[in-house]
Amino acid sequence: MTARRGFARRTVALAVTASVAALTLAACGDNSDSKGSGGTKAGGHNAADVSFSKEMIQHHRQAVEMAGLAADRASSAQVKSLATKIKGAQDPEIKTMSGWLTSWGEKVPQDMTGMGHDMSSSAFGMMTEADMGKLEKASGTMFDSMFLNMMVEHHEGAVAMAKTEKADGSYRPATELAADVITAQSAEITQMNKMLGKG
């Protein structure tokens, strides 16, 4: 009987210890969540990660839309190849970031491509409705030049956004994607400037 009682006491003690540990962890979680927009939230992400994902999805969508125009408007094989590369890289990233937002309980931005949607800040290199209209009407060498100049500006905006995410974000996959964007798009900026005779 004594042995059974001792076992029972140990079992109760372990259960109490586990409960206290669970409550302590929950309290820690609450504290970290209450730090505000800069604090780490559930899933290890913060407000910077959410903003980056939402804004970069819209940014990527416009780049993909621009790249899609090159197929039947560009005269340069290099421009067509670059456009295919941009679309191939950014489409999967849109899906990845959309998945993050869904898992965080955030809304994925509505797809406004082709509807003249302007993102709130032109500092990110987003094209206006008028810009997109001009690009859609252009063809041949005129399209090539316009596309490259616009995409350089667009990429520069993406790099700036990615640098902010690297500095302020806390969700590792997002900061890693930001690093990839900086590397890939900086290289493409150099390539496009050379194609424009600026390199």
Side-chain angles (χ1 to χ4, degrees), residues 32-41 45-51 168 170:
S32 65
D33 198 42
S34 64
K35 287 178 184 175
S37 61
T40 302
K41 296 182 180 178
H45 72 283
N46 63 12
D49 300 313
V50 174
S51 294
D168 301 339
S170 68

Side-chain angles (χ1 to χ4, degrees), residues 32-198:
S32 65
D33 198 42
S34 64
K35 287 178 184 175
S37 61
T40 302
K41 296 182 180 178
H45 72 283
N46 63 12
D49 300 313
V50 174
S51 294
F52 169 74
S53 299
K54 287 186 174 183
E55 291 169 357
M56 193 60 87
I57 283 171
Q58 293 288 61
H59 203 270
H60 273 19
R61 282 173 177 164
Q62 189 177 66
V64 168
E65 184 181 6
M66 291 166 69
L69 297 174
D72 58 0
R73 289 173 173 80
S75 64
S76 165
Q78 269 189 302
V79 169
K80 289 183 180 182
S81 175
L82 177 66
T84 300
K85 182 182 173 186
I86 289 169
K87 190 175 187 301
Q90 297 194 22
D91 261 338
E93 289 177 351
I94 291 169
K95 291 184 178 71
T96 296
M97 290 183 285
S98 297
W100 294 341
L101 290 171
T102 301
S103 71
W104 297 336
E106 301 282 348
K107 286 185 178 179
V108 176
Q110 186 179 352
D111 190 349
M112 302 290 283
T113 52
M115 297 175 69
H117 175 67
D118 296 339
M119 209 156 75
S120 57
S121 177
S122 59
F124 292 133
M126 289 288 282
M127 298 299 110
T128 64
E129 186 176 356
D131 291 331
M132 292 300 290
K134 287 177 186 175
L135 191 63
E136 286 170 9
K137 289 173 185 173
S139 62
T141 55
M142 178 67 76
F143 176 89
D144 296 344
S145 176
M146 198 178 292
F147 174 85
L148 292 170
N149 278 296
M150 286 184 178
M151 195 60 84
V152 165
E153 185 180 344
H154 206 266
H155 273 25
E156 286 171 347
V159 169
M161 290 163 66
K163 285 181 177 176
T164 298
E165 167 60 16
K166 273 193 74 179
D168 301 339
S170 68
Y171 186 59
R172 183 175 291 178
T175 58
E176 288 175 349
L177 187 145
D180 290 343
V181 166
I182 292 167
T183 301
Q185 298 205 20
S186 292
E188 288 173 356
I189 288 168
T190 300
Q191 179 188 353
M192 289 187 286
N193 278 327
K194 283 180 180 175
M195 290 165 71
L196 285 164
K198 297 177 182 178

